Amino acid sequence: MLQVLANLEKNFIHFLRISIFIVMAWIGDLKAFHYEAEGIIPFVANSPFMSFMLNKKVSDADNYKLHKNKEGEVIQENIEWHKSNGTYLFSYGLGSMIVAIGVSVLLGIFYPKIGLAGGILTAGMSFVTLSFLITTPEVWVPDLGSSEHGFPLLSGAGRLVLKDIIMMAAGLVIASDSAKDILTFNRA
């Protein structure tokens, strides 16, 4: 059994590539929908890596809280605010980038140099996502009267962000495997 598992390592790494692609393609494609674009605004508005890409001034960063639609809710005034903020345009660009990274990871099955770039970009994207644990207040359970709030109690948004540590590790495994393939090919 041990030998069988050891012999399947490359297949499992390819399965990891396929898994990353599925997640990236799905999440990236969801960025084309208003509910998803609106949902990422707390992360983007509070991020030193991304907030400059929105139209509203940093001093107005908390305005997103006044224009938040629940998933599936349609409040035209909020939609107009997000349009003027550049929320949807930013989300379309981010989604396209996420899909492209996923495709590069998948192509690593056949093209190790592309896979290397995809693995590094996956790890880098995950680093940015994990930074939200520091920059985004919504990742912690808010103080609404309970003694259970704040660090280390993650909200739903925080639990979603924390899982990116797995994506970061997967990206590094993919990058390492691609580098090994590149070195093996260059030696042959």
Side-chain angles (χ1 to χ4, degrees):
M1 181 65 164
L2 292 176
Q3 190 61 52
V4 169
L5 286 172
N7 291 342
L8 289 172
E9 177 185 22
K10 194 65 167 179
N11 297 61
F12 293 151
I13 290 174
H14 289 333
F15 179 53
L16 186 58
R17 291 177 199 278
I18 294 165
S19 300
I20 290 171
F21 167 74
I22 290 169
V23 170
M24 299 282 224
W26 199 330
I27 297 298
D29 285 347
L30 285 177
K31 299 288 185 260
F33 295 92
H34 283 188
Y35 88 94
E36 175 68 13
E38 295 163 9
I40 65 172
I41 285 302
F43 303 112
V44 177
N46 289 291
S47 171
F49 299 112
M50 292 190 259
S51 62
F52 68 92
M53 295 184 197
L54 300 174
N55 294 334
K56 302 299 180 191
K57 296 177 185 160
V58 174
S59 61
D60 296 334
D62 279 352
N63 275 342
Y64 69 85
K65 293 176 183 175
L66 303 173
H67 302 283
K68 197 168 168 143
N69 287 332
K70 295 175 185 167
E71 290 182 359
E73 185 176 51
V74 177
I75 298 175
Q76 195 59 40
E77 177 186 332
N78 292 345
I79 292 170
E80 294 305 320
W81 184 89
H82 284 287
K83 284 180 183 176
S84 70
N85 185 41
T87 299
Y88 304 128
L89 187 60
F90 172 81
S91 189
Y92 303 152
L94 179 62
S96 298
M97 184 183 76
I98 291 170
V99 170
I101 293 170
V103 169
S104 69
V105 168
L106 183 65
L107 288 175
I109 294 171
F110 310 104
Y111 307 101
K113 290 179 182 176
I114 296 173
L116 175 65
I120 290 169
L121 289 169
T122 298
M125 184 188 78
S126 298
F127 175 81
V128 171
T129 302
L130 288 166
S131 75
F132 299 153
L133 292 172
I134 298 167
T135 62
T136 307
E138 286 86 350
V139 301
W140 307 107
V141 173
D143 184 357
L144 300 176
S146 169
S147 62
E148 298 176 350
H149 65 274
F151 180 85
L153 305 176
L154 294 166
S155 67
R159 293 188 298 272
L160 177 73
V161 168
L162 185 62
K163 291 189 282 187
D164 251 56
I165 193 83
I166 298 167
M167 190 67 89
M168 179 185 273
L172 294 172
V173 167
I174 295 304
S176 174
D177 181 68
S178 296
K180 187 170 32 173
D181 287 349
I182 291 166
L183 291 171
T184 301
F185 179 75
N186 287 338
R187 287 187 192 130

